[in-house]
Amino acid sequence: MRVHRADTQAGPGVSVSGPRRPGPGAPWDGRALVVGAGPAGLMAAEVLAGAGLSVVVADQMPSPARKLLMAGKSGLNLTKVGDPVDAGYGDVPPAFARALSEFGPDDVTRWAAGLGQELFVGSTGRVFPVAMKASPLLRAWLGRLDGLGVDLRTRWRWEGWRDGRAVFDTPGGPQDVDADVTVLATGGASWRRLGSDGEWAAQMPGSVAPFRAANVGLRVDWSAHMARWHGAPLKGLAFYAGDLASRGEAVVTAKGLEGGGIYAVSAAVRDGAPLVADLLPDLSHAVVAERLARQGPKPSLATRLRKALRLDGARAALLNEFGRPFGADVSRTVKALPVRHAGVLPIDEAISTAGGLRFDALDGFRLAGRPSVYAAGEMLDWEAPTGGWLITGCLATGRAAARQALADRGVAAGR
């Protein structure tokens, strides 16, 4: 991928025409600008370049897809197969639902395999590269884009519009970019250090729903005895909040509770639902009560819990932290432990955000009042749990925004 620093470019008013490489069946070779080099932006660039447009991708960071690379450090969960799409996204606007129907989990899997990535499906349907990280996939993807003539410019920060042109702050000074089509994929408002700062919202007053933390941990003011358990995993629990439930793992941290099990229910907790943990979700209340009763009254509660239920370590510590003073039926507390917390962690510590550019400010993925500007990815007002749903949503909307831009101009797009 060619990287052009701003100080090697022309001054204000630079054109993004670049080399013209007409694609098969594309009668018009336009000039396209994509703002943001995350999954949504790179997918938009792939679709536009594949249709024969000359594409420039501008990103404010020194290198592309930094959030994707960070997400892949613990195993890049690309998508999730086997579940209906609405299980991950709930009630979504028609344009978003249509994008997912046209590029869903199976399509994401085929796309990644087409980049030479060997994949495997976990027991819960989550799809991962065998390499368990994002860098091999990103290298292959950037190579494909380079072959299509896509021009990547880094350290270019979008600052809005002037006389219909996109304005950028670059190391070489201000740049005004003229493009026939622009796709904005500027990200949400979490992980500022990776480029998602949400500051673009100032360019769209009245069109942006407030950002809120999503897929986020909880703040807990632990008592002193929990210090020994900081960093300890919590396995085999179920968490419930509102209509959401999760069987994922969690981790006790100095700040509170983190991990997939917490993230999956954090939207409901954020919105005010109480959080309850089932410490033994594979056993019914009746079985838990019967096993405890079998121990008799003489052993200490800790001994009874350990011998009857194998409940010890961090799980027992959690029970003591939130369950005391215990009532006559400890089994009910084991099965429905109220988790006291001080709310979700700050938005910049969230994996993703809710809120963003509202769909009622869009016609499909096209900005109202700007017929040549489209938007995609996390900057739009949708949210989804981790587990592959986030990346799938970004890829699907990036593709859909680019295809709408092409269709609006009568340009044939590939699959």
Side-chain angles (χ1 to χ4, degrees), residues 47-87:
V47 172
L48 294 169
L53 277 68
S54 300
V55 180
V56 165
V57 177
D59 193 273
Q60 67 182 8
M61 301 303 288
S63 57
R66 288 199 162 192
K67 193 172 180 181
L68 178 70
L69 289 171
M70 177 62 76
K73 283 192 173 181
S74 58
L76 182 64
N77 186 187
L78 282 170
T79 192
K80 192 172 191 293
V81 297
D83 288 346
V85 170
D86 59 6

Side-chain angles (χ1 to χ4, degrees), residues 10 39 120 136 161 186 241 247 276 399:
F120 73 93
W161 311 97
T186 49
R247 286 290 299 266
V276 173
R399 176 181 181 273

Side-chain angles (χ1 to χ4, degrees), residues 129-147:
V130 170
M132 288 299 287
K133 54 185 178 181
S135 51
L137 181 143
L138 181 59
R139 282 195 299 270
W141 198 2
L142 293 176
R144 173 184 288 178
L145 295 175
D146 186 45

